[in-house]
Amino acid sequence: MEFATFDLQGFEKAGLSQRKILAAQLDKICRDSGFLVLTGHGVPENYITDMQNAVQEFFKQAPDDKQKVKAPYAGYPYGYLGPNSEALAKSKGVDTPPDLKESFNGGPQEVPHGIVDPEALEFCYVPTIWPDLDGFKPAWQTYYGEMERLASRIMVAFAVALNLPDGFFEDYINHPISGLRALNYPATDEISLLNQQRAGAHTDYGSLTILLPQAESQGLQVALPDGGWFDVPTPEGAFVINIGDLMARWTVDRWVSTLHRVVAKPYQPARQSLAFFHQPNWDSVIAPLDGSKKYENVLSGPYLMEKFKSTGS
Ligand SMILES: O=C(O)CCC(=O)C(=O)O
Ligand SMILES: [Fe+2]
């Protein structure tokens, strides 16, 4: 398998006929694996390094200091989630020991006017709990804002790839409820528990994920049709993008949300990554894009909430 690359600025600047060719390539990638390396993203490098440094400082703290910003109750979506709190494979009905990781999570930066649904307010519009570390909050907020803009641009390319008008997704994603997760996978020694991974095999839940694994780091793998695993390249200066379950459902399985994991091997150095999970507005109605009735309509927010209940977080 060759891992696909898509140059976003190349697409955005292309003339009409070249744009069609590139959109067809993007459609093929999303049908085949739903995973690609994204270049030409235009996110300023210093925003990325500021964020990576801030996150590294956060994880370097003593456990007690990290716990100061822990999610205050089970199910609270943001803040620090320590070791042993999540097993992603459970979202696929596979019972495994907890993933070998810790994370810090944050949500939308503001509550849009007119949101009154208490479930929405509780599930995605509760505050992010900020650590008391110089520069952490601004670095995080800047990076989050960049990811929101990048996701919107990718959604334009997706619309074109699906033969829809450029702005088709705009109204669905103008108040997105995306989550940003900084992940730290501590160095491993011997791996003692059977089936324990850094992130168990899972698919992502939303429209698309923008991943930034630490450059040249190892371990992210996508499932192959024959049951094997393929190592995802993590080139410097590029993001890894993948389709989530909601997009597969929206496209009535034209596009695939592929199983992936971060494999745990003995004696690995620590590994960090940033994962931005793009999710349409809380109340966007996700109806099959082909006009069929193959899937029932769902609301973006409640759909996501159901998915979360399954991972033991
Ligand atoms: O850390 C990574 O590279 C991937 C993590 C991941 O797939 C996830 O958290 O959904
Ligand atoms: Fe994932």
Side-chain angles (χ1 to χ4, degrees), residues 88 181 183 185 199 202 204 211 213 220 260 262 271 273 275 277:
L88 281 175
R181 166 170 266 203
L183 286 145
Y185 305 93
H202 67 281
D204 292 347
L211 260 180
L220 177 61
H260 55 284
V262 181
R271 173 182 186 276
S273 67
F277 301 102

Short mmCIF file of all heavy atoms in Angstrom, two decimals, residues 88 181 183 185 199 202 204 211 213 220 260 262 271 273 275 277, ligand 1:
data_model
loop_
_atom_site.label_atom_id
_atom_site.label_comp_id
_atom_site.label_asym_id
_atom_site.label_seq_id
_atom_site.Cartn_x
_atom_site.Cartn_y
_atom_site.Cartn_z
N LEU A 88 -9.83 2.67 23.95
CA LEU A 88 -10.56 3.01 22.71
C LEU A 88 -11.16 1.79 22.03
O LEU A 88 -12.19 1.90 21.36
CB LEU A 88 -9.64 3.77 21.74
CG LEU A 88 -9.43 5.25 22.05
CD1 LEU A 88 -8.41 5.86 21.10
CD2 LEU A 88 -10.75 6.03 21.96
N ARG A 181 -7.31 17.27 21.39
CA ARG A 181 -6.74 16.38 22.39
C ARG A 181 -5.23 16.32 22.21
O ARG A 181 -4.74 16.04 21.12
CB ARG A 181 -7.38 15.01 22.19
CG ARG A 181 -6.72 13.87 22.87
CD ARG A 181 -7.58 12.63 22.81
NE ARG A 181 -8.40 12.53 24.00
CZ ARG A 181 -8.93 11.39 24.46
NH1 ARG A 181 -8.76 10.26 23.79
NH2 ARG A 181 -9.64 11.37 25.57
N LEU A 183 -2.01 14.27 23.34
CA LEU A 183 -1.79 12.92 23.86
C LEU A 183 -0.34 12.71 24.23
O LEU A 183 0.56 13.16 23.51
CB LEU A 183 -2.16 11.90 22.78
CG LEU A 183 -3.67 11.73 22.55
CD1 LEU A 183 -3.95 11.46 21.10
CD2 LEU A 183 -4.20 10.61 23.43
N TYR A 185 2.08 9.45 25.28
CA TYR A 185 2.23 8.02 25.49
C TYR A 185 3.58 7.84 26.18
O TYR A 185 4.63 8.01 25.56
CB TYR A 185 2.23 7.28 24.15
CG TYR A 185 1.00 7.56 23.29
CD1 TYR A 185 1.02 8.58 22.33
CD2 TYR A 185 -0.15 6.81 23.44
CE1 TYR A 185 -0.10 8.84 21.55
CE2 TYR A 185 -1.27 7.06 22.65
CZ TYR A 185 -1.24 8.07 21.71
OH TYR A 185 -2.35 8.32 20.93
N ALA A 199 -2.92 3.21 21.92
CA ALA A 199 -4.33 3.53 21.62
C ALA A 199 -4.89 2.30 20.93
O ALA A 199 -4.40 1.90 19.87
CB ALA A 199 -4.44 4.76 20.73
N HIS A 202 -9.48 1.47 16.83
CA HIS A 202 -10.75 2.21 16.87
C HIS A 202 -10.92 2.96 15.55
O HIS A 202 -9.98 3.06 14.76
CB HIS A 202 -10.73 3.23 18.02
CG HIS A 202 -9.72 4.33 17.80
ND1 HIS A 202 -8.36 4.15 18.02
CD2 HIS A 202 -9.87 5.60 17.32
CE1 HIS A 202 -7.73 5.26 17.70
NE2 HIS A 202 -8.60 6.16 17.26
N ASP A 204 -12.40 6.90 14.32
CA ASP A 204 -12.77 8.18 14.92
C ASP A 204 -14.25 8.43 14.67
O ASP A 204 -14.85 7.83 13.79
CB ASP A 204 -11.89 9.30 14.36
CG ASP A 204 -10.42 9.15 14.81
OD1 ASP A 204 -10.16 8.35 15.73
OD2 ASP A 204 -9.56 9.82 14.22
N LEU A 211 -4.46 15.06 12.57
CA LEU A 211 -3.50 14.51 13.52
C LEU A 211 -2.12 15.11 13.30
O LEU A 211 -1.71 15.29 12.15
CB LEU A 211 -3.34 13.02 13.26
CG LEU A 211 -4.06 12.01 14.12
CD1 LEU A 211 -3.72 10.61 13.62
CD2 LEU A 211 -3.69 12.15 15.58
N PRO A 213 1.20 13.74 14.69
CA PRO A 213 2.07 12.91 15.51
C PRO A 213 3.44 13.59 15.57
O PRO A 213 3.83 14.28 14.63
CB PRO A 213 2.17 11.60 14.72
CG PRO A 213 1.12 11.68 13.64
CD PRO A 213 0.91 13.14 13.38
N LEU A 220 1.74 4.75 14.92
CA LEU A 220 0.39 4.90 14.36
C LEU A 220 0.25 3.95 13.17
O LEU A 220 1.07 3.96 12.25
CB LEU A 220 0.17 6.36 13.92
CG LEU A 220 -1.17 6.66 13.25
CD1 LEU A 220 -2.35 6.38 14.17
CD2 LEU A 220 -1.23 8.11 12.78
N HIS A 260 -7.78 2.18 13.14
CA HIS A 260 -6.36 2.50 13.34
C HIS A 260 -6.02 2.37 14.83
O HIS A 260 -6.92 2.25 15.67
CB HIS A 260 -6.03 3.91 12.81
CG HIS A 260 -6.87 5.01 13.38
ND1 HIS A 260 -8.18 5.24 13.00
CD2 HIS A 260 -6.61 5.96 14.32
CE1 HIS A 260 -8.66 6.27 13.67
NE2 HIS A 260 -7.74 6.72 14.48
N VAL A 262 -2.51 2.99 17.92
CA VAL A 262 -1.11 3.30 18.18
C VAL A 262 -0.56 2.09 18.93
O VAL A 262 -0.96 1.81 20.06
CB VAL A 262 -0.93 4.59 19.01
CG1 VAL A 262 0.55 4.89 19.24
CG2 VAL A 262 -1.60 5.78 18.31
N ARG A 271 6.00 9.26 23.36
CA ARG A 271 5.52 9.79 22.08
C ARG A 271 4.36 10.74 22.35
O ARG A 271 3.51 10.45 23.18
CB ARG A 271 5.03 8.62 21.22
CG ARG A 271 4.36 9.02 19.92
CD ARG A 271 3.88 7.77 19.19
NE ARG A 271 3.36 8.07 17.88
CZ ARG A 271 2.12 8.47 17.64
NH1 ARG A 271 1.27 8.62 18.64
NH2 ARG A 271 1.72 8.71 16.41
N SER A 273 1.33 13.38 20.56
CA SER A 273 0.62 13.75 19.33
C SER A 273 -0.52 14.70 19.68
O SER A 273 -0.95 14.79 20.83
CB SER A 273 0.10 12.50 18.61
OG SER A 273 -0.91 11.89 19.37
N ALA A 275 -4.42 15.67 18.37
CA ALA A 275 -5.52 15.17 17.53
C ALA A 275 -6.68 16.16 17.61
O ALA A 275 -7.19 16.44 18.70
CB ALA A 275 -5.97 13.80 18.00
N PHE A 277 -10.41 16.68 16.51
CA PHE A 277 -11.56 15.92 16.02
C PHE A 277 -12.64 16.89 15.56
O PHE A 277 -13.36 17.46 16.39
CB PHE A 277 -12.09 15.00 17.12
CG PHE A 277 -11.06 14.02 17.63
CD1 PHE A 277 -10.39 14.24 18.83
CD2 PHE A 277 -10.75 12.88 16.89
CE1 PHE A 277 -9.44 13.34 19.28
CE2 PHE A 277 -9.80 11.98 17.34
CZ PHE A 277 -9.15 12.21 18.54
O1 LIG B 1 -1.68 9.50 18.65
C1 LIG B 1 -1.97 9.22 17.49
O2 LIG B 1 -1.15 9.30 16.58
C2 LIG B 1 -3.37 8.77 17.12
C3 LIG B 1 -4.38 8.84 18.22
C4 LIG B 1 -5.76 8.49 17.76
O3 LIG B 1 -5.98 7.82 16.78
C5 LIG B 1 -6.93 9.00 18.52
O4 LIG B 1 -6.76 9.48 19.66
O5 LIG B 1 -8.06 8.93 17.99
#
